[in-house]
Amino acid sequence: MQKLIAREYLHAGKRYVEVLVRFSAAGELRPLSLVHEGRVWEIERIYSIKQRASQRAGGCGLCYECRIGERRHRLFLEGSRWFIEAPGAAEA
Amino acid sequence: MERTILHVDMNAFYASVEELHRPELRAFPLAVGGDESRRHGIILAKNEAAKAAGVRTGEALWEAREKCPDLRVVPPNFPLYLRYAELSRRIYGEYTQKVEPFGLDEAWLDVTGSDGVALAETLRLRIKEELGVSVSIGISWCKVFAKLGSDLRKPDACTLISRENYRSLVWPLPISCLLYVGPAGTRKLRALGVSTIGQLAALPERYLRQRFGKLGLMLHQFANGSERGAVSDYVAETEAKSVGNSVTAARDLCDPRAVKIVLYSLCESVAARLREAGLAARGVELTVRRRDLSYLNARCRLARETDLAAELAEAGLKLFAENYVWNDVVRALGIRATALQPALPFQQAFFHDERRRRKLERLEKTVDTLRGRYGFYSLGRALMLCDPEGNIDAKHDHIIAPAGFLKSGARMAEGAPQ
């Protein structure tokens, strides 16, 4: 019998990251910082929050467009995990 | 006021989701296929490139590879597809409460009062942007034509079937395109000289009713776009008329004991589901598929209603022993609890077999609780030790089951089991 196996897809364009999140009393999530390549990066500003698919990373989720270290990045909330579009991966 | 119905169809759904999640495979013909070693090795979905090479849904993997040697096949990931189905339904729910899913990848929406064409276009773009998959949407005044509309142009398109254009868009189509007309239905209609939907629509309703009964009326309505089926509320539950489980065994079942093991597994699932729904069954239906792919159907009525696996299995095994001739091995088994009624509350145990029954009931309910807490395989019948492969968690594995368009379950005999 076919079991409901949840598979994980690992490839260069998608990086799951550790994120520190604040929950407001109203239930809003605000990512504060993330860990990437051993370093903690502060999420300085959030420009927009929108449900979006990422062709580069291969997936979809709630996309937080934010400023990290003077550059814009897209951080996605996929269910209960966070991923970023890894730089250098080809846009499909 | 005329209704506005949308039918949204996610194109090549499983394959599209896999393509999104596997960028490295996007350049290839790609298919999602079952596990060959467990004899589920068929094509479940294919992408555009595979389709162009002739790969067809439902055919064996080896057949597909012959046509398309470069084909990449990936195993299905149902939890992922379920997530996308849920996300898409959430989007639909923002526009209307009247959403009727049809499997994971399709849904009808009743958006009467809105501009259907504009809304369809909005949905098409939103789903592409937010979920990363493409959809085809049909817009019309009834469900059947809305579905024909979404079938007309794939992928990634919206098609309006209106009072002005339905004769030119729908009527030239072959009858096999019509919902619930399968190979057998097509044959029967061809024998009457009918090969297009337009020809079917031209036949008098009375004639079709004479030939096909209630289904004839349905055919007439479908072909003329006069069916008035409502788009069921997503939230409303349909009442089950029967509860069943079936499985294609990983290896052919060659003796009564192998059959017993699988049947008990299936009955455990059916019984657990009955108990969960507070139902009991007065009838049991057995379906057996032989290695040569022919079917055997048998049914019986029970002396008293039951929601116990042991009693369902006992009835099923009796049906099997009385009806099956061992001239071929068994490939697939199915058991269905029918004639459902609410389960009666606890009765006083006056008689011996009533006491035994109470014991069985307490036992099975305890098993439910333990399985709920520690997982399905935390405990099981000793019988299962004889063939662990026959031990199946039918209740939780593979829960994809599209609700029937016709709630009564009637359909044209599509090569139905004999």
Side-chain angles (χ1 to χ4, degrees), chain B residues 358-376:
Chain B
R358 287 289 134 239
K359 264 188 172 171
L360 266 178
E361 198 171 82
R362 273 202 300 274
L363 172 64
E364 294 206 9
K365 286 192 169 141
T366 307
V367 170
D368 283 347
T369 311
L370 289 170
R371 278 180 168 158
R373 220 188 289 169
Y374 301 110
F376 180 85

Side-chain angles (χ1 to χ4, degrees), chain B residues 214-230:
Chain B
K214 263 199 286 198
L215 296 172
L217 172 61
M218 181 192 91
L219 286 173
H220 179 81
Q221 288 179 339
F222 280 17
N224 282 288
S226 56
E227 63 94 9
R228 307 248 340 133

Side-chain angles (χ1 to χ4, degrees), chain B residues 151-384:
Chain B
D151 280 340
L152 269 178
R153 290 199 299 146
K154 294 180 169 185
D156 201 20
C158 295
T159 308
L160 169 68
I161 309 262
S162 67
R163 293 277 180 194
E164 286 76 44
N165 70 17
Y166 79 93
R167 289 179 191 82
S168 56
L169 283 182
V170 172
W171 281 1
L173 297 173
I175 31 164
S176 51
C177 290
L178 205 54
L179 193 59
Y180 279 89
V181 177
T186 306
R187 254 186 293 118
K188 291 185 185 184
L189 288 168
R190 281 252 178 79
L192 301 178
V194 171
S195 51
T196 67
I197 297 181
Q199 287 170 341
L200 175 59
L203 291 179
E205 179 189 317
R206 200 171 16 177
Y207 173 68
L208 284 169
R209 265 226 290 255
Q210 251 169 18
R211 298 288 319 221
F212 302 112
K214 263 199 286 198
L215 296 172
L217 172 61
M218 181 192 91
L219 286 173
H220 179 81
Q221 288 179 339
F222 280 17
N224 282 288
S226 56
E227 63 94 9
R228 307 248 340 133
V231 174
S232 300
D233 206 299
Y234 187 24
V235 176
E237 302 264 323
T238 46
E239 244 173 59
K241 290 250 158 77
S242 68
V243 175
N245 273 109
S246 61
V247 70
T248 297
R251 281 175 290 108
D252 287 332
L253 308 175
C254 309
D255 57 63
R257 192 173 72 179
V259 169
K260 186 175 179 184
I261 292 172
V262 174
L263 205 57
Y264 261 94
S265 283
L266 294 173
C267 288
E268 291 204 343
S269 162
V270 173
R273 288 164 62 199
L274 285 172
R275 286 192 289 269
E276 209 165 273
L279 296 167
R282 289 288 312 252
V284 171
E285 243 177 64
L286 175 75
T287 308
V288 186
R289 202 169 197 209
R290 299 186 188 86
R291 180 175 42 192
D292 69 1
L293 305 184
S294 63
Y295 280 101
L296 160 74
N297 259 10
R299 61 188 69 172
C300 69
R301 198 90 181 162
L302 300 172
R304 57 167 294 174
E305 75 284 353
T306 182
D307 59 2
L308 299 178
E311 291 182 343
L312 292 172
E314 207 178 294
L317 283 172
K318 186 156 177 281
L319 282 171
F320 186 86
E322 285 171 1
N323 290 278
Y324 193 75
V325 179
W326 278 102
N327 53 12
D328 198 0
V329 295
V330 174
R331 190 185 163 86
L333 270 180
I335 191 111
R336 183 160 290 276
T338 60
L340 304 182
Q341 61 189 71
L344 295 172
F346 202 93
Q347 306 269 6
Q348 278 287 48
F350 284 125
F351 304 103
H352 172 71
D353 52 314
E354 183 65 31
R355 271 205 293 273
R356 176 184 172 270
R357 225 184 155 269
R358 287 289 134 239
K359 264 188 172 171
L360 266 178
E361 198 171 82
R362 273 202 300 274
L363 172 64
E364 294 206 9
K365 286 192 169 141
T366 307
V367 170
D368 283 347
T369 311
L370 289 170
R371 278 180 168 158
R373 220 188 289 169
Y374 301 110
F376 180 85
Y377 294 101
S378 58
L379 75 167
R381 294 169 190 271
L383 182 61
M384 301 305 167

Side-chain angles (χ1 to χ4, degrees), chain A residues 1-40:
Chain A
M1 192 96 182
Q2 218 147 25
K3 301 207 190 307
L4 291 184
I5 299 167
R7 280 167 233 280
E8 201 153 284
Y9 306 82
L10 297 169
H11 54 81
K14 190 179 204 180
R15 203 71 54 79
Y16 285 104
V17 290
E18 195 182 305
V19 176
L20 192 67
V21 172
R22 177 193 294 142
F23 281 78
S24 75
E28 290 143 355
L29 275 79
R30 198 208 184 285
L32 301 174
S33 64
L34 59 83
V35 179
H36 182 63
E37 285 173 358
R39 249 191 80 173
V40 177

Side-chain angles (χ1 to χ4, degrees), chain B residues 26-176:
Chain B
R26 287 176 196 163
F28 298 95
L30 174 68
V32 178
D35 186 349
E36 272 170 305
S37 66
R38 307 218 87 209
R39 303 207 295 185
H40 299 149
I42 59 164
I43 301 283
L44 299 173
K46 72 271 178 202
N47 69 355
E48 284 291 306
K51 187 173 172 185
V55 174
R56 297 214 317 260
T57 300
E59 69 182 351
L61 293 181
W62 63 264
E63 283 178 305
R65 287 201 184 93
E66 258 178 24
K67 291 186 230 179
C68 181
D70 207 24
L71 184 70
R72 302 291 198 269
V73 180
V74 298
N77 185 351
F78 292 113
L80 187 63
Y81 312 148
L82 282 165
R83 177 170 169 251
Y84 278 83
E86 183 53 48
L87 287 170
S88 68
R89 288 167 198 174
R90 233 181 270 170
I91 295 178
Y92 307 150
E94 289 182 30
Y95 298 93
T96 172
Q97 267 294 91
K98 298 199 182 128
V99 176
E100 182 180 329
F102 192 57
L104 292 187
D105 55 345
E106 297 179 34
W108 278 285
L109 279 65
D110 188 333
V111 295
T112 304
S114 318
D115 181 341
V117 175
L119 184 50
E121 192 55 24
T122 303
L123 279 173
R124 185 181 70 81
L125 294 169
R126 261 194 83 174
I127 293 170
K128 190 149 28 150
E129 190 188 320
E130 295 181 28
L131 303 186
V133 294
S134 72
V135 299
S136 288
I137 305 185
I139 309 115
S140 194
W141 68 87
C142 66
K143 286 160 84 177
V144 175
F145 277 16
K147 181 158 163 68
L148 281 169
S150 69
D151 280 340
L152 269 178
R153 290 199 299 146
K154 294 180 169 185
D156 201 20
C158 295
T159 308
L160 169 68
I161 309 262
S162 67
R163 293 277 180 194
E164 286 76 44
N165 70 17
Y166 79 93
R167 289 179 191 82
S168 56
L169 283 182
V170 172
W171 281 1
L173 297 173
I175 31 164
S176 51

